[in-house]
Each structure stands twice: as C-alpha cells, then as structure tokens.
Amino acid sequence: MSQLARASLTAVAMLLLLAAAAAAEGPAGCQDDVVALNEACYQYVQKGAPTVPPSQECCDAVRRVDVPCVCSYLGSPGVRDNISMEKVFYVSQQCGVSIPGNCGGEPASCFTCSTACT
C-alpha cells in the first residue's frame, strides 16, 4: 500500500472515529465542529508529526467551534490515541483561541499556559 493510500486511510478512519464519538457523546451541533476540525487541522495535531504552525483554514475552523464541547471529545480514548494534546494547545495558541487548561481531560503543559489556558 502506498504512503498516500495509508495516509488517506488513516484520515478517513480518524474522521469516522471522531464522528462516531460526536454522535455518541454529545449534541449534534458539535459533531459538525469535530468533523471540520478533523478535516482542517488533523495534520497539525497528530502524534508523531512535526510541530508546525497551522494553516489559515485550520485557524478559521478553530475559531468557529464550541470549545467546551470539542474539549469533551478530545478526552475520548480513541481520539487521545491519535492526537497530541500539546499540539492541540499549540495550535489553539497560534490561532489566538483560548482553551481551558484541562481541555481533553489533560492539564496543559507549562509550555502552553502563557496564553492558551483560561
């Protein structure tokens, strides 16, 4: 299987996982937020990927979401297995969006607390 095919398969699996978590755990309105974030930002928060500034598209998606609702999804075991919470805090900081220090059920590291924590 080519690297592109594996990456596409991983992205689709992550999208399905996030959509299932959203449908099972919370209000339907937040499911759209989770899907939009996955499509625009997953490459910036995935484990094992380099830490790079997010795209404008990602920041636009981050600025539109219901932060408390999305934070509850980030604590789901399947989601936490695939994303780096440190990168989530980094991306939110780069996009100028404050998220709670316990977003996803994990305290923010000191690296991110200067502007990302509330």
Side-chain angles (χ1 to χ4, degrees):
M1 183 181 284
S2 74
Q3 186 175 7
L4 178 60
R6 278 193 297 270
S8 295
L9 184 58
T10 300
V12 169
M14 187 66 182
L15 178 62
L16 292 174
L17 180 72
L18 289 172
E25 294 181 21
C30 195
Q31 180 179 358
D32 291 341
D33 289 347
V34 172
V35 170
L37 285 174
N38 184 58
E39 290 174 352
C41 300
Y42 178 68
Q43 67 185 4
Y44 304 105
V45 298
Q46 68 183 348
K47 285 186 178 177
T51 301
V52 296
S55 67
Q56 185 63 48
E57 178 186 18
C58 175
C59 283
D60 290 345
V62 169
R63 290 182 188 115
R64 287 190 297 260
V65 301
D66 176 348
V67 172
C69 184
V70 170
C71 280
S72 70
Y73 297 132
L74 295 178
S76 302
V79 175
R80 294 287 295 277
D81 293 342
N82 294 298
I83 64 168
S84 162
M85 286 306 296
E86 185 171 288
K87 289 179 185 174
V88 169
F89 286 104
Y90 171 77
V91 166
S92 68
Q93 182 179 17
Q94 294 298 304
C95 295
V97 175
S98 293
I99 61 175
N102 65 345
C103 183
E106 180 174 304
S109 68
C110 292
F111 167 76
T112 60
C113 283
S114 61
T115 60
C117 301
T118 57

